[in-house]
Amino acid sequence: APEGGGGADAVRAYVRACLARFDADVRQYTTVPAMEDVAEVVRALGYEQVDVYGISYGATAAQVLLALHPELVRTAILDGATLLDIPIFERLAPNGERALRRILQSCATSARCATAYPRARHEAFEMIARLRRTPVRVQGTLIDAPTAAGLLQLLSLTPGGAAEIPWIAHSAVGGDWRPLAVELDRAGATAAEASRNVMYMSIVCNEPWGRWRPGRVAGAARGTFLSLLHTCRGRPATPGRGRWA
């Protein structure tokens, strides 16, 4: 994350500096070129048709492959994805808020979890509120509200990650920010290399299914713990976007 916080200018400067390190046109790191490559590989291997299985973004890519080269796909399974006409960023914050509240409610109604974390329904939101007022530095890492909110959203995607949220929030509210810092470090280490992160931004911030419309995104996020995320600010813009590019 940019040093000094998540303000718009800092995010833009950080992204520009990151992009300057690439000896490639990162605006072409999008789904259409990738699916054209897949089609070439299928033909090069001598297959007339293939069965496609896509998870998450892979299911999005599978839909693009179907649109571009339906003759190559015999069957397709889409697992854990959205259709290409769903505005994902406009759904991200309200759905993330709903998921987090359900996770905390599950803790509050579990005898063991509620005993360990009696204020589970509130502490995650208190943690974000404190970081909005004053970011903290843990072992040289500056943690602000957008960074913590992004981690909570990431953790909520898996059962194991969701189970850690009450502990992380409870520790932070009690003054121990180390569990949060450890999880942030772990997320950074297991997330993809910078090239994959740039590809992610090029894809979700430029393609029609991502549909990044700042006004609508901000309106949908208002009042949620994800309202401060700046996912596509400073993004690499793809020129000449077509139907799927």
Side-chain angles (χ1 to χ4, degrees):
E3 187 72 15
D9 291 340
V11 172
R12 292 189 186 97
Y14 175 77
V15 173
R16 290 193 187 102
C18 176
L19 296 177
R21 298 198 298 267
F22 285 83
D23 184 22
D25 183 358
V26 299
R27 297 174 300 175
Q28 303 305 320
Y29 288 6
T30 51
T31 306
V32 168
M35 292 305 99
E36 293 292 3
D37 289 345
V38 169
E40 288 189 24
V41 170
V42 169
R43 294 189 182 105
L45 292 174
Y47 293 112
E48 293 184 1
Q49 288 189 313
V50 293
D51 300 314
V52 177
Y53 180 69
I55 303 173
S56 188
Y57 165 70
T60 300
Q63 292 176 75
V64 175
L65 180 63
L66 277 166
L68 295 172
H69 297 286
E71 75 283 357
L72 294 180
V73 180
R74 185 180 69 169
T75 63
I77 299 174
L78 310 179
D79 186 353
T82 61
L83 298 177
L84 295 176
D85 60 351
I86 300 296
I88 59 169
F89 284 117
E90 294 167 31
R91 306 288 179 85
L92 175 64
N95 286 347
E97 178 85 6
R98 187 179 305 111
L100 178 59
R101 291 189 181 276
R102 287 184 176 178
I103 290 167
L104 301 178
Q105 174 65 19
S106 178
C107 176
T109 55
S110 164
R112 292 181 62 185
C113 192
T115 299
Y117 313 111
R119 301 187 63 253
R121 288 190 182 93
H122 310 286
E123 287 178 330
F125 301 103
E126 291 177 8
M127 178 182 73
I128 298 297
R130 291 188 184 187
L131 290 172
R132 288 192 188 197
R133 293 191 296 269
T134 308
V136 300
R137 188 176 295 275
V138 182
Q139 297 177 343
T141 299
L142 184 69
I143 304 175
D144 58 12
T147 301
L151 178 68
L152 292 182
Q153 194 271 336
L154 179 65
L155 290 174
S156 72
L157 299 180
T158 65
E164 293 186 357
I165 291 176
W167 167 62
I168 291 171
H170 180 75
S171 299
V173 170
D176 183 2
W177 297 93
R178 289 174 298 175
L180 177 62
V182 167
E183 285 304 317
L184 283 169
D185 183 66
R186 184 180 300 169
T190 57
E193 305 86 9
S195 60
R196 180 175 158 194
N197 291 334
V198 171
M199 184 175 184
Y200 169 83
M201 290 179 61
S202 287
I203 289 170
V204 302
C205 297
N206 285 293
E207 299 189 2
W209 64 273
R211 213 177 293 176
W212 175 253
R213 296 177 287 198
R216 295 192 182 187
V217 171
R222 191 171 296 117
T224 73
F225 77 99
L226 291 167
S227 61
L228 295 179
L229 291 184
H230 306 306
T231 305
C232 289
R233 293 186 180 179
R235 68 196 184 281
T238 300
R241 290 184 296 176
R243 183 182 179 192
W244 303 108

